[in-house]
């Protein structure tokens, strides 16, 4: 029996349905079989079908930074309640990696600074497939930027203050956007807090002089800027990293966690302010006291985001360890569930080699996004310059090293 003829006898709808059940890595490999398969698996119908199925099974994406080893390592796990769940290892970026936090938008990661063969470059990568693209460094930058995505034109842009880098358009240089708002010149980005919601990029900044928080709003498609007062968070001016930006039903939410005392026992208090009206700059505050949990009350943790399907706050432990937990808090039901995550590996789970975890909720694999970028090659084949012997090193056995 000839395999080609056997496959061609199957209805095209059934073939597409079979392929939607595969990981994006497998789909990418099948595209190389022939022009026919490349055309079929790049069709608009297949991309829509794949995205719909991927959206029904969202994942948690974990970006682990081991700055002492100059590397970012990417994993993911199912985003659901179970007593324990496995991690899938995806890829690793090695080299002289900066301590600037990576930025996430619509399935892709932006790393502001990587040194590859003595060349400094910002990197855009698909953490699942390992495909990447390097760009020119913006000189004299203090913030190193955020990644935003316009879902209408399917266009990614990096914003670094008022400089913009358009991804996948053939442009290779940063361009400066004239900003009519005088207030824009009076502040600087203060922390890693940034998020893209429905084509609008938000990040936290502090004004000069009389220090106060503001939210910078950047429309990725129109490239228009707006400033929103956020003085209600000024209690966190000394420690802005304690604030997390989340997507709350399509609106911007700013979250911080406090520890309170309940009958002599430490409890976790979750405070979220939602920007209900951009025009009137109205913030509405919600405060939740989480059910008691011995692990959560005794560890360092971060707010990863709010799950779109359930409305759960997702909290993750700050550092890789064993055991490692993710927590789901449902404010309507007042329930807190913990899920043990396995698979970081012995090195990452040791105290000496542990990494800092940045988690992103509702990660889905959008094939149209990866196509639009035309990323060049796998990160596992990046060549770096050894700091000791100055020889070129190629890291192929990535999974063994993790």
């Amino acid at each position: 029996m000839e395999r080609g003829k056997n496959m061609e006898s199957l209805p095209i709808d059934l073939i597409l349905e079979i392929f939607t059940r595969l990981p994006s890595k497998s789909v990418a490999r099948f595209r190389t079989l022939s022009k026919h398969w490349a055309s079929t698996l790049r069709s608009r119908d297949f991309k829509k079908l794949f995205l719909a199925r991927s959206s029904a099974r969202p994942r948690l994406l974990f970006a682990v930074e081991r700055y002492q080893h100059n590397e970012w390592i990417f994993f993911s796990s199912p985003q659901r309640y179970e007593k324990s769940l496995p991690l899938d290892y995806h890829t690793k970026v090695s080299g002289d990696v900066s301590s600037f936090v990576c930025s996430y938008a619509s399935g892709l990661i932006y790393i502001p600074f990587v040194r590859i063969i003595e060349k400094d470059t910002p990197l855009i990568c698909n953490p699942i497939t390992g495909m990447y693209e390097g760009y020119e460094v913006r000189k004299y930058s203090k913030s190193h930027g955020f990644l935003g995505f316009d879902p209408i034109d399917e266009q990614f842009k990096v914003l670094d203050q008022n400089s913009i880098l358009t991804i996948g358009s053939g442009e290779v240089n940063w361009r400066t956007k004239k900003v009519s708002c005088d207030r824009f010149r009076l502040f600087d980005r203060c922390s890693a807090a940034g998020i893209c919601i429905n084509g609008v990029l938000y990040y936290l900044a502090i004004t000069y002089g009389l220090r106060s928080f503001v939210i910078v709003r950047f429309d990725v498609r129109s490239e228009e800027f707006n400033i929103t007062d956020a003085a209600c968070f000024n209690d966190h001016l000394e420690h802005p990293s304690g604030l997390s930006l989340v997507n709350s039903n399509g609106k911007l939410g700013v979250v911080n966690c406090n520890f309170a005392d309940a009958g002599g026992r430490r409890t976790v208090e979750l405070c979220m302010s939602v920007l209900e009206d951009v025009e009137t700059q109205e913030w509405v505050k919600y405060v939740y006291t989480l059910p008691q949990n011995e692990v959560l009350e005794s560890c360092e943790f971060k707010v990863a985001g709010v799950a779109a399907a359930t409305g759960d706050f997702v909290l993750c432990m700050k550092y890789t360890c064993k055991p490692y937990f993710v927590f789901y808090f449902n404010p309507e039901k007042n329930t807190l569930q913990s899920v043990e995550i396995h698979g970081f590996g012995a090195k990452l789970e040791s105290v000496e080699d542990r990494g800092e975890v940045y988690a992103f909720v509702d990660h889905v694999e959008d094939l149209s996004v990866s196509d639009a970028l035309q990323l060049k090659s796998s990160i596992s084949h990046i060549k770096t310059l050894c700091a000791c012997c100055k020889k070129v090193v190629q890291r192929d056995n990535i999974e063994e090293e993790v």
Side-chain angles (χ1 to χ4, degrees):
M1 182 185 294
E2 295 182 32
R3 291 184 178 181
K5 288 185 179 180
N6 189 45
M7 287 293 290
E8 288 174 7
S9 65
L10 293 174
I12 186 63
D13 290 347
L14 178 58
I15 293 174
L16 295 182
E17 179 65 26
I18 292 171
F19 277 107
T20 61
R21 299 173 184 270
L22 297 177
S24 58
K25 282 184 180 179
S26 300
V27 173
R29 285 196 291 268
F30 276 109
R31 284 174 172 174
T32 65
L33 291 177
S34 67
K35 290 183 178 179
H36 168 72
W37 286 115
S39 174
T40 300
L41 299 179
R42 284 191 169 92
S43 68
R44 181 175 293 273
D45 288 344
F46 176 71
K47 290 175 185 176
K48 286 184 176 180
L49 194 62
F50 189 94
L51 179 59
R53 187 169 289 278
S54 181
S55 299
R57 54 184 190 224
R59 298 180 69 82
L60 281 175
L61 178 68
F62 298 92
V64 179
E65 182 188 24
R66 285 208 298 177
Y67 52 84
Q68 68 271 37
H69 295 278
N70 289 321
E71 61 190 18
W72 283 94
I73 311 170
F74 297 97
F75 304 84
S76 71
S77 75
Q79 185 176 293
R80 62 173 183 261
Y81 311 134
E82 286 189 19
K83 187 175 181 180
S84 64
L85 287 169
L87 276 174
D88 289 328
Y89 165 80
H90 297 297
T91 194
K92 177 164 71 171
V93 180
S94 297
D96 185 2
V97 180
S98 76
S99 59
F100 293 98
V101 177
C102 62
S103 178
Y104 175 89
S106 193
L108 296 186
I109 290 285
Y110 169 69
I111 302 174
F113 178 96
V114 179
R115 178 164 293 166
I116 305 171
I117 311 299
E118 295 187 323
K119 180 181 179 182
D120 302 340
T121 177
L123 208 67
I124 304 289
C125 74
N126 183 323
I128 304 298
T129 64
M131 303 297 283
Y132 78 95
E133 184 85 64
Y135 294 88
E136 293 297 321
V137 171
R138 183 191 163 222
K139 294 182 179 180
Y140 314 117
S141 171
K142 294 181 180 179
S143 71
H144 288 263
F146 295 102
L147 181 64
F149 178 66
D150 165 28
I152 298 175
D153 293 337
E154 293 186 351
Q155 183 70 72
F156 286 89
K157 295 178 183 178
V158 177
L159 176 68
D160 187 347
Q161 294 179 323
N162 65 327
S163 293
I164 300 166
L165 181 66
T166 302
I167 307 302
S169 65
E171 297 179 12
V172 294
N173 295 318
W174 294 86
R175 52 191 172 82
T176 302
K177 168 74 174 179
K178 275 195 171 184
V179 182
S180 57
C181 179
D182 291 335
R183 291 184 60 199
F184 186 85
R185 301 174 180 85
L186 301 178
F187 61 82
D188 197 3
R189 170 186 138 164
C190 66
S191 72
I195 191 171
C196 190
I197 303 174
N198 299 330
V200 178
L201 179 61
Y202 301 86
Y203 70 86
L204 201 59
I206 298 178
T207 57
Y208 295 132
L210 295 174
R211 287 160 54 82
S212 182
F213 277 124
V214 293
I215 295 289
V216 181
R217 298 175 58 251
F218 174 72
D219 188 298
V220 180
R221 192 175 190 219
S222 68
E223 300 186 356
E224 293 298 320
F225 287 91
N226 284 285
I227 311 299
T228 298
D229 286 321
C232 51
F233 308 112
N234 282 354
D235 288 347
H236 300 273
L237 282 170
E238 297 304 317
H239 302 285
S241 60
L243 297 173
S244 301
L245 271 58
V246 301
N247 183 346
S248 176
N249 292 319
K251 297 179 180 180
L252 174 67
V254 182
V255 182
N256 70 282
C257 297
N258 301 315
F259 290 102
D261 182 83
R265 183 169 181 175
R266 190 189 199 201
T267 59
V268 178
E269 193 175 72
L270 200 62
C271 305
M272 179 173 70
S273 295
V274 177
L275 185 58
E276 287 290 342
D277 192 307
V278 173
E279 298 300 325
T280 62
Q281 303 194 13
E282 176 191 2
W283 293 91
V284 177
K285 187 174 182 178
Y286 303 87
V287 179
Y288 308 102
T289 300
L290 275 59
Q292 292 184 338
N293 181 289
E294 290 184 2
V295 176
L296 184 63
E297 292 161 11
S298 62
C299 73
E300 292 185 82
F301 64 90
K302 298 179 180 179
V303 178
V306 178
T310 61
D312 290 348
F313 287 89
V314 182
L315 315 176
C316 68
M317 296 175 73
K318 186 175 181 179
Y319 298 102
T320 55
C321 60
K322 188 175 183 179
Y324 181 90
F325 289 95
V326 168
F327 306 89
Y328 292 85
F329 170 66
N330 188 291
E332 290 187 5
K333 300 176 183 178
N334 193 35
T335 56
L336 179 66
Q337 303 194 49
S338 58
V339 178
E340 185 175 355
I341 304 294
H342 315 249
F344 283 120
K347 285 188 177 180
L348 279 174
E349 290 167 349
S350 67
V351 175
E352 311 82 48
D353 286 323
R354 70 180 185 174
E356 185 168 354
V357 180
Y358 300 86
F360 305 95
V361 301
D362 295 326
H363 175 72
V364 299
E365 299 180 77
D366 186 345
L367 296 181
S368 63
V369 165
S370 60
D371 283 348
L373 284 173
Q374 298 179 346
L375 299 174
K376 290 182 178 179
S377 60
S378 171
I379 290 179
S380 63
H381 297 107
I382 285 182
K383 296 179 179 180
T384 62
L385 198 66
C386 177
C388 301
C389 62
K390 301 300 181 184
K391 292 182 179 179
V392 174
V393 178
Q394 181 165 320
R395 302 173 183 269
D396 291 319
N397 298 323
I398 300 295
E399 292 189 49
E400 294 178 12
E401 293 179 10
V402 172

